[in-house]
Structure formats: structure tokens, C-alpha cells
Amino acid sequence: MAALIGDNGGPPLEKPFGIDAPWLRHADEEELARLAKLQARITRRQLILKETIAERTKIMNRCIRRMRRSQGKN
């Protein structure tokens, strides 16, 4: 199965496609190839979302500190 997954430069997966499910053993080659593409896409989107949420949190915390300073609560 590892040959079908390939290396796209992303983080290494512990389990095939990050999925530990009995149904995965019954997937044919075409489905495994599609799962490999989908998993790479999902991993990239999760990373982007994680970075976006972290940036939003930084902005929120800066704004909260400014708000508290303006209210004299520093």
C-alpha cells in the first residue's frame, strides 16, 4: 500500500492515509490512489486552518491587551 501512497513532501503518516479502519483493506487500487490524493489535500487544509486560527488568536490577544490598557487595567 505504501507504493500507492507515495511521498508528496508532507508529514509522514503513521497509518495509511491516517486512517485505521477495517474497510480500508477492501479498497481497490483506484480507490487507494484517490484516497492518497484526498488525504494529502485534507492534511494541507488542516495545516492551513491551524495556522489561520493561531493568527486570529494572536490578533485577538493583542486587541484584548490594548483594550485593557485603554481602560487602565494594565
Side-chain angles (χ1 to χ4, degrees):
M1 196 177 308
L4 292 171
I5 297 172
D7 180 23
N8 65 355
L13 298 174
E14 296 174 4
K15 300 171 187 158
F17 313 115
I19 301 170
D20 185 23
W23 58 262
L24 189 58
R25 288 178 286 212
H26 300 282
D28 59 23
E29 286 189 34
E30 183 180 324
E31 291 167 333
L32 289 173
R34 182 66 180 149
L35 281 171
K37 288 182 181 182
L38 292 173
Q39 185 59 41
R41 188 181 301 167
I42 289 167
T43 303
R44 283 193 306 270
R45 287 181 180 177
Q46 285 175 334
L47 181 61
I48 290 168
L49 182 59
K50 183 178 176 182
E51 291 171 351
T52 304
I53 290 171
E55 184 178 359
R56 180 186 67 177
T57 302
K58 283 182 184 180
I59 293 170
M60 179 185 70
N61 288 335
R62 281 196 307 254
C63 292
I64 289 171
R65 283 193 300 269
R66 269 189 224 123
M67 178 182 69
R68 288 180 179 162
R69 280 194 302 265
S70 72
Q71 294 172 349
K73 296 182 180 181
N74 50 353

